[in-house]
Structure formats: C-alpha cells, structure tokens
Amino acid sequence: MTIDGTEVLKRAVTEDEAAILGDWTGALRESGSLQSGRIREAELQTQAKAVLGQFRDALAAGGLDADSEGYASLRETLADISRSRAIQGFTPTDTANFVFSLKEPIFEALGRTSGADASALAAGVWAVGKVLDRLGLHTMEVFLASREEVIGRQGQEIAELSTPVVRLWDGILALPLIGTLDSARTGVVMENLLQAIVDEEAEIAIIDITGVPTVDTLVAQHLLKTVAAARLMGADCIVSGIRPQIAQTMVHLGVELNVVSKATLADAFAVALKRTGRKVVRQQTSTEELR
Amino acid sequence: MDRIPILKLGGALIVTIQVDMHDRLALALEEDLTAMIARTGARGVLLEISALEIVDSFIGRMLVSIAAVSRVLDAETVVAGMRPAVAITLVELGLELTGIKTALNVERGMALIQARLAEEEDGRGGDRDRHEG
C-alpha cells in the first residue's frame, strides 16, 4: 500500500495553518534576521503569512512540482522577497533560512495530523522536503542573480567615474587613469579624451597612469592607440606617472612606449606649458632675482 | 563627375572635403592635387576633413599617399579637423598616418604651414619642426 505524501502534506498544511505560521514566525524571530535590524517584525510576519498562504494554494494546484504553473505566484513572491534581501544586504544564509526554517513547523504539523501512522508521516516528510528544497534553491538563485546585478551596476559606475578628463590650463588637458585598463574601458577613455580635445580645443593632453596598477603589453597597446588617435586630431600626448617598478616591468617585457613620457604629472605639465609658450615664475619675494 | 575644389592661398593649397568620399572621388583628388602642386609650386597642403564622417581603409590609405606624393613634390601636408570617431577608426585600422602633420582646426593647420613657409624664407636655417609621431 502506498500513501500519497502530497495528500498528507496538503491536509497537514490546510488543517494546521495557524499553528505552522505561529511556529514559523517564532523560528524566524530566533534565527537572527530580525536582530540585524534590516527588517521589521511586522514586515517579516506579513511575508511569512503571504508565503504560507500561497504555498497552501500551490500545493492544491500544482502538487509537488515546484516548477509547475501552480507555483508561479509563490515563486514570484519568493523572488521579490529574495531580491529585496539581496539589496538590503542580508547574508545568503539568512535568505535561504527564510524558506528552510519552514520545514520544522511543517514536520511538527505532519506529526500531529498523521498521529501514529508512521508511513504517512514518512511520505509527508519526503514530500515537504522535496518541495521546500526546490523553493529554497529558487530563492538562492534569485538572490545570487540580484547580487550579480548589483555588482555589475557598481562596476559600470566605477568605469564611468574613473575616466574624467580635466582641464589643467587653457589648451592643456589631463586624463588621470585609475584602475586596470581593458579594451572596453580604453574605448570609453579614448572617446572621452578625443571629445574633450575637440570641446576644449586642446593642444596637449597628459595621460597620467599613476593609478594603473599594471602595465602589460595589452595596456601599452591601448595607451599607444589613444595617443595615436589624439595625434590624428592634432593634439600631442604626454604620458606621465609611470612608477619605477612598472618602468622596469615594461622594459623586461620588451614593451616599447614610443611617446613622450615623464615621471610625474608635474613634470609633464611643465613640458606642456613650455610647448604652449608659457612658463611659471615665482613671484619675487626678496631682492634676489629668481629665474 | 564631381570633383573636390582645391584653393590656392599664398604658398599653400587648401582642400576642404565636404562630401562623403568615395573611392573614385579620392583618386581624382589625388590626381588633381598632384597636378596643382606641380603647377603652382605650393609648399603646403591643408586637408580639412571636419565634415568627413565615414572613413575606410582605402580613404585612410589615400590620405597617406596624398601626403607622400606631396612630400616628393616638396609640399607638406597637414590634416586638420579630424573627428574623434574618424580618428578612432583610423587607429583601429592600424593607419596612424605617421609622417603627416595634424591640427585641430584650419586655423592651427594654417599656422603650421605658415611657420614652415616663414622658416624657409629665413634662409632654410634651423630645422625647427614640431615633432612628428
């Protein structure tokens, strides 16, 4: 004789819903997601109630198959909860526990409804385990996807923030590069620089690579391309801020940077001023004549 | 067939490209320009390409060859007003136009040519060229 676990589970959840909800919110309260202060108790209870209600309906409509049509609204609710947790900064454990902590109250409810019928209890436990594991995994998947999204957006923001073109003087631009240069970023950098050259009618652009951690052949090639493009527009480029270790690595790698390069941005700026026919002089403070 | 006009201004020739270059137009320009340099004895050529939006490898190579032919005839080519997108495309195509002088706009381009003319009038002394990439 086989016992349908789904039926056992359905009965337990329907008959004992209030008790399950009580136990579950109790477990959630103790689990520590409240202590972090990221979510209020009332909100947690509302979520729990909604999820349990939908779980009951889904069981009636879709049986044990958590991927079926009957579970669509429950999956949607869990996805929303999970997404908001990812943004609120919950740990993965906290998020997964939201679903997994439902197991124990349901086990207890199964125990109460099945009474002494051990095989019914076993079938019910198996059924609830199967469904809740699937739902838990679904929650985690959404959680991770939301995290990835957040990370991707931050990466994009960093890329946008870290390629400013600043005007140092009339006709002199500086492009302080920060972070690793890859093809995508070089494209953005190049476009920004060239547009700035047009807008500012710049004669000289200083590319400062103090903030670039490593310069390999690829990065050097990207730099050269930028310099060449700027030259085509009629502006000269000076590369500055090559750190001693990087200079050594470049020479050892055989990377040749056939452009004007200076050790510091200040040196490059001095060259740029000289080329545009300007010079900086100290205001005379004493009788001593300063050059 | 339409042709690109070439203007003479003092010792310099000015070419402004206002239409989309196609291959035959480019070849005609190269021919006309060569003939014009030979006839007028111009010492500088200013190619103004701020209206040029699309370049391919052929047009890029044509710029290089115009510059090379001009140099043989002792005229210096300055390319002025290249758009950012065009510059990026040329660099990606590997055409860095080495040996051609570039300027941001016509004004600066003319200044470059005039500087060269003035220098030569000074008795061909002191080769004070701006560096070429």
Side-chain angles (χ1 to χ4, degrees):
Chain A
M1 160 190 114
T2 53
I3 296 167
D4 189 359
T6 322
E7 288 307 317
V8 180
L9 178 58
K10 243 187 250 176
R11 210 177 62 217
V13 174
T14 323
E15 286 173 7
D16 233 354
E17 192 179 339
I20 294 174
L21 184 62
D23 289 349
W24 190 24
T25 45
L28 284 175
R29 207 177 296 132
E30 278 161 33
S31 72
S33 27
L34 277 175
Q35 265 109 52
S36 57
R38 290 191 188 96
I39 189 168
R40 274 175 299 113
E41 186 170 346
E43 198 183 343
L44 196 62
Q45 259 175 10
T46 324
Q47 287 175 351
K49 193 157 186 232
V51 168
L52 190 59
Q54 283 178 334
F55 180 52
R56 184 199 55 216
D57 298 343
L59 269 178
L64 288 185
D65 183 8
D67 294 318
S68 70
E69 195 58 36
Y71 278 83
S73 70
L74 176 59
R75 282 203 306 271
E76 194 60 39
T77 313
L78 282 175
D80 284 345
I81 292 173
S82 172
R83 222 172 275 136
S84 68
R85 306 230 153 163
I87 292 164
Q88 284 165 334
F90 276 85
T91 62
T93 316
D94 276 343
T95 313
N97 265 341
F98 178 73
V99 174
F100 291 138
S101 59
L102 178 57
K103 270 188 188 175
E104 201 182 338
I106 294 187
F107 286 168
E108 279 166 11
L110 283 170
R112 282 195 294 276
T113 42
S114 331
D117 189 351
S119 53
L121 178 62
V125 166
W126 165 241
V128 72
K130 194 176 157 194
V131 176
L132 285 185
D133 284 352
R134 186 72 200 85
L135 290 175
L137 285 176
H138 172 69
T139 316
M140 279 321 289
E141 268 169 29
V142 177
F143 180 83
L144 286 178
S146 321
R147 276 282 182 90
E148 299 261 319
E149 209 176 284
V150 171
I151 293 169
R153 207 168 48 233
Q154 284 170 344
Q156 212 181 340
E157 271 167 24
I158 291 172
E160 278 170 18
L161 281 177
S162 58
T163 50
V165 182
V166 291
R167 179 169 162 263
L168 287 185
W169 206 266
D170 205 20
I172 303 176
L173 296 176
L175 177 72
L177 289 179
I178 293 160
T180 319
L181 282 179
D182 53 25
S183 309
R185 267 197 71 200
T186 321
V188 178
V189 168
M190 214 193 261
E191 273 169 38
N192 284 354
L193 178 66
L194 298 190
Q195 196 51 52
I197 288 175
V198 174
D199 295 343
E200 302 275 346
E201 303 206 334
E203 284 174 63
I204 294 185
I206 302 172
I207 302 177
D208 185 76
I209 57 166
T210 315
V212 179
T214 50
V215 176
D216 54 14
T217 43
L218 202 65
V219 174
Q221 203 199 353
H222 286 322
L223 273 178
L224 287 177
K225 271 188 185 170
T226 312
V227 172
R231 198 193 72 85
L232 285 180
M233 305 262 313
D236 286 332
C237 274
I238 303 173
V239 176
S240 75
I242 303 175
R243 276 176 279 157
Q245 299 95 318
I246 289 180
Q248 281 179 12
T249 327
M250 280 168 70
V251 171
H252 291 162
L253 279 174
V255 176
E256 278 194 40
L257 214 56
N258 282 325
V259 291
V260 186
S261 63
K262 293 283 160 208
T264 62
L265 184 60
D267 293 341
F269 185 47
V271 172
L273 284 175
K274 200 175 160 202
R275 280 216 199 136
T276 51
R278 301 184 180 94
K279 79 176 177 185
V280 180
V281 276
R282 188 194 292 270
Q283 265 191 344
Q284 210 166 324
T285 49
S286 64
T287 50
E288 192 187 357
E289 179 100 287
L290 292 162
R291 254 164 45 85
Chain B
M1 184 178 122
D2 47 285
R3 285 176 177 263
I4 293 173
I6 302 169
L7 316 171
K8 183 174 178 296
L9 185 77
L13 296 178
I14 301 177
V15 181
T16 61
I17 296 173
Q18 302 281 358
V19 290
D20 273 341
M21 288 287 265
H22 51 79
D23 295 1
R24 237 174 338 136
L25 198 58
L27 287 172
L29 174 66
E30 186 181 335
E31 227 166 82
D32 291 354
L33 192 62
T34 319
M36 192 82 167
I37 294 172
R39 202 167 70 234
T40 60
R43 312 302 304 274
V45 175
L46 185 73
L47 267 176
E48 204 273 331
I49 57 167
S50 64
L52 191 66
E53 284 182 34
I54 300 163
V55 283
D56 55 13
S57 53
F58 185 82
I59 303 296
R61 242 192 36 219
M62 188 223 60
L63 289 178
V64 176
S65 77
I66 283 182
V69 170
S70 310
R71 200 174 310 121
V72 171
L73 296 171
D74 195 24
E76 184 175 54
T77 309
V78 176
V79 172
M82 190 182 292
R83 285 169 177 252
V86 172
I88 292 174
T89 312
L90 285 181
V91 170
E92 293 296 339
L93 287 172
L95 289 164
E96 301 188 358
L97 309 191
T98 27
I100 304 182
K101 287 194 175 179
T102 49
L104 191 72
N105 49 34
V106 178
E107 198 181 354
R108 289 202 190 146
M110 272 319 277
L112 278 181
I113 290 177
Q114 236 117 46
R116 185 183 182 217
L117 291 175
E119 218 168 76
E120 287 182 354
E121 264 173 34
D122 281 355
R124 299 166 202 284
D127 202 18
R128 200 175 50 81
D129 265 8
R130 276 162 67 93
H131 80 284
E132 294 172 13

